[in-house]
Amino acid sequence: MLESLPPWFLPLFAFLFGALVGSFLNVVIARVPRGMSIVHPRSRCPGCETPIASYDNVPILSWILLKGKCRSCGIRISPRYPFVELAVALLAVAVVRHFGATWWALAAFAFVCALVALTYIDLDHWLLPRSITIPFIVLGLCASLLPGGPGIVSAAMGAAAGFAAFVVLGFVAERILKKEALGGGDVWLLSMIGAWLGLRALLPVVLLASLQGALIGGLLLAIARRRQQTTALPPPKPTGDAEVDDWVPPEGAVPFGPFLALGAAEYLFFGERLVAWYLGLLTGG
């Protein structure tokens, strides 16, 4: 049946579906860290709290037509909302093109969506909610049974090894540095990545995350130091959690979770080539 469809149909459907999911992820990103329902109430303007009409809630398009403003009060709406929608739409197309119209493609898209949500939540709040990571560990173990998945043995070993490795690494780093070196949420995130991508993926993902984290984090710290000489940086956004809100991250610092998520996405699409490249470096081939 799919063979009878025009070649542009599946990518277009994936793009539209991804944009809708991206709109939902904006709600998840905004509400989950605050312990709010992702179902009720309906989406509202962050300024005047007027419920957003359905015709003003069309992914990407509504923000463009309204010129990034609320129809009711005219407050500026962050461009991050359409950016997330566009990014998820493009990721949906990438998943379909890479894995085809398969059940594993649908599962992989769900995994990517979880990575997107966790990335933005961690950037906003330095928090990786277990209400997302733990259910997705279970989903990853189930999805591993699908054709194209890593297999239940590799997934189970990956989930266990990801958790254990970060616990041990965090314990050692804490003893050396005399302070907490790794967030507890990173442990569950790496376990989730192991459940979805399998044991073999863990080392490449951590290496990618560490390399990119060092490069981007170092650049952001340098920029922050220069900005600090001329202007004060705004305080972090409140989360509603007193323990979390009492902790203030260093100027220009970034959490490690987004880099783990980026490394996992890179491995999902380019895993075999990344492994071959890495092994070639080790062997000189």
Side-chain angles (χ1 to χ4, degrees):
M1 180 178 177
L2 290 176
E3 290 77 7
S4 63
L5 296 173
W8 50 264
F9 178 83
L10 195 57
L12 177 60
F13 176 81
F15 183 91
L16 296 176
F17 178 72
L20 289 172
V21 174
S23 180
F24 172 71
L25 288 184
N26 278 322
V27 176
V28 172
I29 292 165
R31 297 186 183 184
V32 166
R34 295 178 171 87
M36 299 172 59
S37 169
I38 59 176
V39 179
H40 300 289
R42 58 188 289 187
S43 297
R44 298 172 180 269
C45 168
C48 64
E49 297 190 351
T50 300
I52 299 176
S54 57
Y55 51 80
D56 284 339
N57 207 20
V58 179
I60 306 172
L61 187 61
S62 289
W63 189 89
I64 295 174
L65 294 176
L66 292 171
K67 299 179 180 179
K69 297 180 181 179
C70 170
R71 185 185 294 273
S72 299
C73 67
I75 189 176
R76 298 287 301 180
I77 305 296
S78 172
R80 194 174 82 176
Y81 290 98
F83 177 80
V84 169
E85 294 162 355
L86 178 61
V88 176
L90 294 176
L91 284 169
V93 175
V95 166
V96 167
R97 290 180 63 87
H98 193 76
F99 298 108
T102 63
W103 287 111
W104 172 247
L106 184 61
F109 177 63
F111 174 58
V112 168
C113 288
L115 294 178
V116 170
L118 289 168
T119 291
Y120 279 100
I121 290 173
D122 207 17
L123 287 172
D124 283 347
H125 306 290
W126 287 70
L127 179 69
L128 293 168
R130 294 182 188 177
S131 58
I132 296 177
T133 53
I134 293 179
F136 267 86
I137 291 174
V138 177
L139 287 174
L141 293 174
C142 295
S144 69
L145 297 170
L146 295 171
I152 187 62
V153 174
S154 180
M157 292 178 64
F163 185 88
F166 246 72
V167 168
V168 172
L169 182 60
F171 177 82
V172 173
E174 187 174 342
R175 292 298 180 273
I176 295 174
L177 301 176
K178 306 300 181 183
K179 62 179 181 179
E180 184 178 5
L182 297 172
D186 295 328
V187 173
W188 294 101
L189 175 56
L190 190 60
S191 180
M192 172 184 138
I193 292 170
W196 280 89
L197 300 181
L199 179 63
R200 188 181 183 190
L202 290 181
L203 181 58
V205 167
V206 171
L207 288 174
L208 285 168
S210 301
L211 177 60
Q212 293 169 130
L215 292 175
I216 298 175
L219 177 61
L220 292 177
L221 283 172
I223 294 174
R225 288 183 185 129
R226 295 192 64 179
R227 286 181 58 192
Q228 209 171 14
Q229 298 173 0
T230 58
T231 182
L233 294 175
K237 298 179 181 179
T239 68
D241 185 324
E243 182 179 350
V244 173
D245 291 340
D246 287 341
W247 181 79
V248 178
E251 302 289 1
V254 287
F256 191 51
F259 297 107
L260 282 174
L262 177 60
E266 290 167 340
Y267 186 89
L268 177 68
F269 291 110
F270 312 110
E272 294 304 319
R273 278 177 280 179
L274 285 172
V275 171
W277 171 78
Y278 178 68
L279 292 176
L281 289 179
L282 294 179
T283 59

